[in-house]
Amino acid sequence: MAADQSAKTGADIVPAPPQANTHCTAADYDRLYAQSVSDPDAFWGTQAERIDWMTPPTVISNWDYDPVDIKWFEDGVLNICHNALDRHVAAGKGDVTALIFEPDDPNSEARKLTYAELLSEVSKMANCLKAMGVKKGDRVTIYMPMIPEGAMAMLACARIGAIHSVVFGGFSPEALAGRIEDCGSRFVITADAGLRGGKTVPLKANVDAAIDEPDHETPLDGVLVVNHVGADIAMVQGRDHWYHKLAATVSNDCACEPMAAEDPLFILYTSGSTGKPKGVLHTTGGYAVWTATTFHYVFDYQPGEVFWCSADIGWVTGHSYIVYGPLLNGATEVMFEGVPNYPDFSRFWQVIEKYQVNIFYTAPTAIRALMREGDEPVKAHDRSSLRLLGTVGEPINPEAWRWYHQVVGEGRCPIVDTWWQTETGGTMITTLPAAHDMKPGSAGKPFFGIQPQLVDNEGGVLEGATDGNLCIIASWPGQARSVYGDHERFEQTYFSTYKGKYFTGDGCKRDEDGYYWITGRVDDVINVSGHRMGTAEVESALVSHAKVAEAAVVGYPHDIKGQGIYCYVTLNAGEEPSDELVAELRKHVRTEIGPIATPDHLHLTPGLPKTRSGKIMRRILRKIAENDYGSLGDTSTLADPSIVDSLIEGRLNR
Ligand code: 6R9
């Protein structure tokens, strides 16, 4: 049987290698999981002791999914920045290295910051924000490269009770403007420019362009600019402040704001199947307990180890496992500015050797891209420090899993394939390194407190080994509380499809051992290189072009990216299709959203397959994009069935 085939049947099992130290054996998992679902308040009351509370909570959980009202630790008071920094310094760990910064260019200087140094820097930045007029509850947009100041900006906001909204540095000015506008943010923290793979990203210029957008209404009261590359930028008098200049005028002592557990901590925009990106809202206490606990168990972090999560702080993985989870645990971690293939394909492995990384957490898309380059770039560097490997962001195909396990981890390191979402705050389904055998391609078992349920399209509960839509039936501390400014949309998006349950939007298989296999999104969300994108967002970018009449966007399997973006576009009457126009439309999408949304295929077509009531039949468009013409299903309800042949012909011609 082919290896990948056996994995799909669940027959292929890789035993958990023995771990010298572990926070959780198989017996521990069984006992703790049972307690976490039979008596969640007792379980989470104990886990909450990981946090240093100003007022410890007496009420642990208080939630309802109909109507949706989620609270954890509601009468507790804390500050998450205190927990990430001050607490460790007070415990005599001020000299422990918190961040090791590895720049984009290996020849540039690396930086190390201890917990005491990070505390001092964050306090200074917090005082700068105060000097600019930022107050508790204000929304602060962070548009930063992957440099320590990005993490500091988040922690500085948390310290003074401001709500951070990090926007990925790869997003365009238009996308940035929409996110500033949506949450009414009047402050931005940015850098003159960022560096990625040797290229300069004009961050400050993008902020200026965003504010100049014609439909941008919220004026900015302050922009704090970190001088990273010495780029020549415009500074607006009275509004824009160089961080290094302002920081020189403030103290490095800043008291932590007491925050109620349910006070907002951050907003993070993420794509859904309809409409504009949603500002997913996380609050303070539950998120702190959740990220601290998941980091502790999933990565089985041991004091002195070096952790590296290669995500960007612009995504939830960076929030939970670069900033909050590791620092709440007093860990030492690498923060990497660059990309896996610059200056060459051995960059990741070189960084692992340089800092003797023990735990490495990355995305399947990076693994597949590096696997394609063969084993040599990996073997050129010593990886004997590695103890544990992790993946996140999309399903990992068993072939890539095996390469990661055998070649990168030399067969020695367990792999945690962590399934979770922006909305879940942290890891939900994963094997634990010392507790569970692994099955390549399966995320594994539910984390403590997580009760997955598979349902059919009508909401009927499916038992045993089966396939279905993945729901979670009970709340957990790290769950998102709302969509910023639109609680109804929160209810509608996540709790209305299957009443009384949180619906993840993912399809999933459960095997006879109770292992979960995520099969991908079942809604109109596509996952390109681990980045979530609503097909509707790409469609609205396309139709905003003057020559476009209509657009339909679907995902299709892509060897490296997991899914690629396939766009069907009809033009306005009188417009002629041409290669130039295709190039222009691709560029237009990049400008509207950002390079991550660049269409892989742009298919100009005279029409789209529609039902007589005018609904676009996406099922057919998906099949054609996949080059799967044998199972187009029933096309008889189409208003004009002949359009299908013309689409197939168009697909075959590219
Ligand atoms: C953390 C993060 C969430 C979506 C999710 C699912 C996919 C994430 C996965 C995975 C299979 C894994 N996903 N991890 N699919 N196996 N280990 O990625 O959050 O950007 O919100 O994306 O990503 O489809 O629904 P986010």
Side-chain angles (χ1 to χ4, degrees):
M1 199 190 294
D4 283 4
Q5 197 53 41
S6 67
K8 284 205 188 81
T9 65
D12 187 33
I13 297 181
V14 180
Q19 301 290 300
N21 291 306
T22 182
H23 299 306
C24 189
T25 63
D28 293 335
Y29 173 83
D30 292 344
R31 178 175 50 80
L32 289 170
Y33 182 77
Q35 192 209 2
S36 74
V37 296
S38 68
D39 192 352
D41 283 9
F43 180 84
W44 290 111
T46 306
Q47 297 303 323
E49 291 168 12
R50 296 178 189 285
I51 296 299
D52 200 356
W53 300 84
M54 295 168 180
T55 309
T58 62
V59 182
I60 303 304
S61 69
N62 180 9
W63 59 268
D64 203 329
Y65 280 174
D66 185 19
V68 181
D69 182 17
I70 303 164
K71 297 192 204 87
W72 283 85
F73 315 112
E74 60 186 286
D75 60 348
V77 177
L78 75 159
N79 184 286
I80 197 169
C81 180
H82 164 86
N83 277 276
L85 303 176
D86 308 57
R87 176 169 60 130
H88 306 309
V89 175
K93 296 180 195 148
D95 293 337
V96 171
T97 302
L99 291 184
I100 304 169
F101 170 65
E102 173 66 17
D104 184 52
D105 179 347
N107 299 315
S108 298
E109 205 179 332
R111 275 162 76 188
K112 283 191 184 178
L113 286 138
T114 64
Y115 273 90
E117 288 164 343
L118 192 56
L119 170 59
S120 167
E121 291 297 320
V122 166
S123 301
K124 264 196 261 175
M125 199 180 277
N127 281 330
C128 288
L129 294 177
K130 280 187 171 174
M132 288 163 58
V134 179
K135 302 210 165 46
K136 180 175 180 175
D138 284 347
R139 280 76 59 215
V140 175
T141 300
I142 299 177
Y143 185 62
M144 285 286 263
M146 274 292 293
I147 57 176
E149 285 77 4
M152 287 174 200
M154 294 164 69
L155 292 163
C157 287
R159 194 167 187 88
I160 63 170
I163 306 168
H164 58 72
S165 164
V166 183
V167 176
F168 175 56
F171 278 123
S172 68
E174 282 82 348
L176 173 64
R179 286 157 171 80
I180 292 175
E181 190 75 37
D182 182 81
C183 66
S185 161
R186 304 176 73 97
F187 300 93
V188 175
I189 308 176
T190 191
D192 54 347
L195 291 171
R196 262 173 79 82
K199 295 197 192 88
T200 303
V201 186
L203 296 170
K204 173 62 166 67
N206 284 354
V207 172
D208 293 339
I211 304 312
D212 287 343
E213 282 288 296
D215 51 356
H216 191 85
E217 285 162 14
T218 317
L220 287 184
D221 290 343
V223 180
L224 190 62
V225 186
V226 173
N227 182 8
H228 178 44
V229 303
D232 187 16
I233 54 163
M235 295 291 277
V236 175
Q237 184 83 37
R239 186 197 73 178
D240 300 351
H241 308 270
W242 282 110
Y243 172 58
H244 61 280
K245 289 195 182 156
L246 195 52
T249 69
V250 299
S251 121
N252 67 348
D253 185 20
C254 173
C256 286
E257 189 70 29
M259 303 295 284
E262 287 301 336
D263 280 343
L265 174 63
F266 68 86
I267 299 164
L268 185 56
Y269 286 87
T270 191
S271 298
S273 46
T274 54
K276 293 185 304 179
K278 296 179 286 283
V280 170
L281 181 77
H282 282 281
T283 57
T284 309
Y287 180 81
V289 172
W290 183 242
T291 49
T293 308
T294 51
F295 181 83
H296 173 84
Y297 283 112
V298 174
F299 299 109
D300 218 355
Y301 182 82
Q302 306 292 332
E305 286 190 322
V306 178
F307 174 80
W308 177 20
C309 165
S310 75
D312 190 287
I313 54 163
W315 311 116
V316 74
T317 305
H319 281 61
S320 301
Y321 300 113
I322 295 177
V323 179
Y324 292 110
L327 298 178
L328 288 171
N329 280 275
T332 297
E333 61 173 329
V334 173
M335 189 171 180
F336 177 48
E337 185 182 18
V339 295
N341 58 352
Y342 175 82
D344 60 49
F345 283 96
S346 69
R347 186 70 167 121
F348 271 5
W349 326 119
Q350 182 221 334
V351 174
I352 286 172
E353 178 175 9
K354 183 170 176 191
Y355 299 115
Q356 295 290 291
V357 171
N358 306 105
I359 306 167
F360 179 52
Y361 190 35
T362 193
T365 187
I367 297 167
R368 286 191 295 266
L370 294 171
M371 178 170 86
R372 197 173 58 167
E373 301 302 314
D375 300 357
E376 285 322 304
V378 186
K379 292 188 170 153
H381 293 279
D382 177 50
R383 284 128 26 252
S384 57
S385 61
L386 286 175
R387 175 181 67 75
L388 176 70
L389 300 170
T391 79
V392 60
E394 50 182 315
I396 181 163
N397 48 312
E399 192 196 359
W401 193 101
R402 274 198 199 78
W403 184 80
Y404 198 32
H405 186 249
Q406 288 304 326
V407 179
V408 177
E410 299 171 314
R412 177 184 71 246
C413 306
I415 293 181
V416 289
D417 173 357
T418 62
W419 173 83
W420 58 291
Q421 309 178 295
T422 304
E423 297 85 345
T424 73
T427 299
M428 301 284 281
I429 298 181
T430 177
T431 52
L432 296 183
H436 299 123
D437 293 342
M438 297 162 282
K439 301 190 187 192
S442 165
K445 296 280 216 174
F447 189 73
F448 303 132
I450 299 310
Q451 300 186 52
Q453 192 176 70
L454 301 184
V455 300
D456 62 25
N457 290 341
E458 283 68 50
V461 177
L462 303 164
E463 307 286 353
T466 186
D467 246 314
N469 302 309
L470 178 60
C471 295
I472 312 289
I473 58 166
S475 185
W476 62 97
Q479 179 164 33
R481 303 299 196 254
S482 197
V483 165
Y484 187 81
D486 196 349
H487 194 65
E488 201 184 313
R489 189 167 177 209
F490 184 63
E491 292 214 12
Q492 189 61 34
T493 309
Y494 304 106
F495 302 90
S496 69
T497 318
Y498 305 109
K499 226 166 178 48
K501 295 168 191 177
Y502 169 73
F503 176 44
T504 64
D506 280 324
C508 183
K509 188 185 95 161
R510 181 174 50 220
D511 71 17
E512 49 291 338
D513 298 322
Y515 276 55
Y516 288 84
W517 303 69
I518 308 297
T519 49
R521 302 290 302 196
V522 293
D523 53 13
D524 287 323
V525 172
I526 49 181
N527 190 327
V528 182
S529 298
H531 303 316
R532 256 167 86 170
M533 222 168 300
T535 51
E537 274 172 78
V538 184
E539 287 163 7
S540 73
L542 283 163
V543 296
S544 74
H545 190 281
K547 295 181 181 166
V548 172
E550 229 182 352
V553 173
V554 298
Y556 73 101
H558 187 287
D559 282 352
I560 302 291
K561 301 180 184 182
Q563 276 188 303
I565 306 177
Y566 197 108
C567 309
Y568 298 90
V569 173
T570 63
L571 298 175
N572 283 326
E575 300 297 344
E576 285 302 316
S578 68
D579 289 348
E580 291 70 41
L581 184 54
V582 166
E584 188 179 317
L585 292 177
R586 286 165 58 96
K587 187 159 162 268
H588 181 71
V589 175
R590 289 170 67 96
T591 317
E592 288 288 306
I593 305 176
I596 54 170
T598 309
D600 294 281
H601 277 294
L602 212 137
H603 185 149
L604 298 179
T605 164
L608 293 168
K610 291 191 184 170
T611 60
R612 287 189 191 94
S613 62
K615 267 206 162 79
I616 297 176
M617 301 255 310
R618 289 168 179 283
R619 177 176 53 81
I620 293 175
L621 293 176
R622 271 189 218 108
K623 292 281 178 200
I624 295 174
E626 286 166 17
N627 269 323
D628 178 5
Y629 312 116
S631 52
L632 289 180
D634 184 13
T635 56
S636 63
T637 56
L638 287 178
D640 174 10
S642 75
I643 197 75
V644 172
D645 294 330
S646 117
L647 282 168
I648 292 175
E649 201 187 310
R651 174 71 172 124
L652 292 174
N653 287 341
R654 58 191 58 238

